[in-house]
Amino acid sequence: METINKITASKQTTMYDHLYKMIIGNEEVLSRIIKAAVDEAKHLSIEEIRRLIEGVHIGNRIVNPHFHLVDKEGFIKDEGIVYYDILCYIDVPQEYGKNIRVYLNVEIQNNPYPGYSIITRGYAYVSRIVSGQWGSEYDYQHYDGMKKVYSLWIMPKAPKRKDGHMNVYETNERIICGTTVEEKEVYDKGVILVIYLNKEHDLNKKYEVYDELLTPLMVLLNNVLDYKGKQRIIEEYGLNTKKIESEVKDMCDLGESIALEARNEGKQIERKEKNIAHVKKLMIGLQMSFKEAVSLLEIPEKEVKEIEKYFQS
């Protein structure tokens, strides 16, 4: 807690972003995300997926036969750099014995109104990740090596009217005339999934679908509950608290630190306003100078300059 308290306001957003990524990238949470988002993993249980990606921890590069973290900086010549929150690829075992590789991008979007559509940004990310496969998954002689991309956008501060909503955007074949039908895997190369959560969600009410994912996400990504409250929900939904304990504690400590800072700032403003009123009363009622008034009131020197600005304006 002492370390968290030393974080300056300018670094609070950066710290939150880091903790969000650590929480989402934890295998206990990521396995549930994969179960909900990745069609190729629907036949697997959450525990099977967790074992599939076991050992992953965002920030460390894990050597895993099925799971690989990809550099979060996506650079393409003449197109610049895109910074992803989480980007990985997974070789998902299928029931018929083959592995299917899919790319998964997860983004935490705290601003529900960024000034553009999250959907269009999602399409940009899918396009960039597909382009980034050039030379590794496919080339001009082998386009069929292109791998499917899932771009998942989690919005933990969405409006209450959208709480629990999940929308999918994907490519589908539409036959205009004739009977030609292509295999879905030929054109099904990009999926965008948006999850909307609201921090005021009533924990006594379960979400209609994917409650096993949405409630833990809502609790973990919002600072409404204290650590014990979050721990209770995490355990109730079957997550291993030991594997996610550090990040959850840091998130709670950061939230408490910001709240404490806000309260202290409020007290400072209130004290300043009272001192200004007292100084003003002495200067007008007793015809004192500003220096005489602050001296009589024994106002600390570091606060005098701030109060003096009021009388100089």
Side-chain angles (χ1 to χ4, degrees):
M1 183 69 178
E2 183 180 353
T3 303
I4 296 293
N5 280 332
K6 292 179 181 178
I7 297 175
T8 62
S10 62
K11 292 183 179 179
Q12 287 173 357
T13 300
T14 301
M15 187 64 177
Y16 266 130
D17 287 345
H18 173 72
L19 289 173
Y20 283 142
K21 293 170 190 175
M22 296 294 284
I23 288 173
I24 294 300
N26 187 286
E27 65 193 48
E28 292 292 312
V29 180
L30 192 59
S31 58
R32 292 170 183 249
I33 290 174
I34 293 170
K35 173 69 175 177
V38 178
D39 290 338
E40 291 77 5
K42 296 288 187 185
H43 64 286
L44 300 175
S45 68
I46 291 176
E47 179 57 27
E48 286 174 325
I49 297 171
R50 191 194 66 75
R51 289 199 300 267
L52 185 70
I53 64 173
E54 192 169 16
V56 62
H57 201 266
I58 299 306
N60 298 323
R61 184 168 294 282
I62 302 299
V63 178
N64 186 308
H66 288 282
F67 183 92
H68 295 265
L69 288 172
V70 181
D71 289 338
K72 65 179 182 179
E73 294 183 7
F75 175 77
I76 298 178
K77 186 179 179 182
D78 300 325
E79 295 183 23
I81 297 178
V82 170
Y83 296 94
Y84 305 108
D85 284 352
I86 296 173
L87 178 59
C88 59
Y89 66 78
I90 313 153
D91 292 327
V92 186
Q94 301 300 294
E95 293 172 319
Y96 49 84
K98 180 183 176 183
N99 288 341
I100 293 182
R101 176 170 296 180
V102 295
Y103 281 72
L104 176 65
N105 162 231
V106 185
E107 301 290 328
I108 300 94
Q109 176 67 31
N110 275 303
N111 183 0
Y113 306 106
Y116 54 81
S117 171
I118 288 299
I119 313 307
T120 53
R121 185 176 173 185
Y123 273 113
Y125 276 37
V126 168
S127 300
R128 290 294 294 266
I129 296 168
V130 168
S131 295
Q133 296 175 21
W134 179 270
S136 59
E137 302 288 3
Y138 70 96
D139 55 33
Y140 73 97
Q141 292 181 320
H142 185 56
Y143 280 95
D144 287 345
M146 184 185 298
K147 300 302 185 291
K148 185 175 179 179
V149 175
Y150 288 88
S151 186
L152 172 60
W153 295 77
I154 303 172
M155 306 187 71
K157 297 182 180 178
K160 199 167 185 177
R161 59 186 172 82
K162 292 186 176 182
D163 183 36
H165 293 189
M166 297 174 65
N167 292 359
V168 170
Y169 305 87
E170 57 189 349
T171 302
N172 290 300
E173 182 180 56
R174 181 165 63 94
I175 299 174
I176 297 175
C177 64
T179 58
T180 299
V181 178
E182 293 288 350
E183 294 291 333
K184 189 175 181 180
E185 64 181 31
V186 172
Y187 57 82
D188 184 26
K189 298 301 181 184
V191 174
I192 299 166
L193 171 63
V194 184
I195 295 178
Y196 301 90
L197 300 169
N198 180 270
K199 65 180 181 181
E200 295 179 2
H201 175 78
D202 185 355
L203 289 173
N204 293 316
K205 298 179 180 179
K206 293 185 178 295
Y207 287 103
E208 292 182 9
V209 295
Y210 290 113
D211 180 67
E212 69 280 0
L213 168 68
L214 299 184
T215 291
L217 279 180
M218 186 274 297
V219 169
L220 290 169
L221 299 182
N222 284 302
N223 280 297
V224 176
L225 296 174
D226 59 14
Y227 175 70
K228 287 186 177 180
K230 291 190 177 190
Q231 187 180 40
R232 176 179 59 81
I233 297 295
I234 291 170
E235 290 178 348
E236 180 184 334
Y237 278 78
L239 278 76
N240 188 328
T241 55
K242 291 183 179 179
K243 291 191 175 183
I244 202 168
E245 182 178 31
S246 175
E247 290 81 8
V248 175
K249 278 187 174 180
D250 283 349
M251 181 74 82
C252 291
D253 286 348
L254 182 57
E256 290 175 10
S257 175
I258 293 173
L260 178 61
E261 185 178 319
R263 288 195 296 270
N264 289 338
E265 186 176 345
K267 290 178 181 179
Q268 290 174 4
I269 292 173
E270 183 180 359
R271 184 171 65 248
K272 177 183 174 181
E273 290 176 347
K274 285 183 178 180
N275 284 335
I276 288 173
H278 290 322
V279 170
K280 190 174 182 179
K281 188 174 182 180
L282 290 175
M283 290 175 67
I284 295 174
L286 299 179
Q287 299 296 306
M288 283 187 176
S289 67
F290 175 78
K291 287 185 178 181
E292 290 173 333
V294 296
S295 177
L296 180 64
L297 293 170
E298 297 183 345
I299 296 174
E301 187 176 348
K302 63 181 180 180
E303 296 179 20
V304 170
K305 290 183 179 180
E306 285 297 316
I307 296 173
E308 191 174 15
K309 290 178 183 178
Y310 169 84
F311 292 94
Q312 290 175 344
S313 60

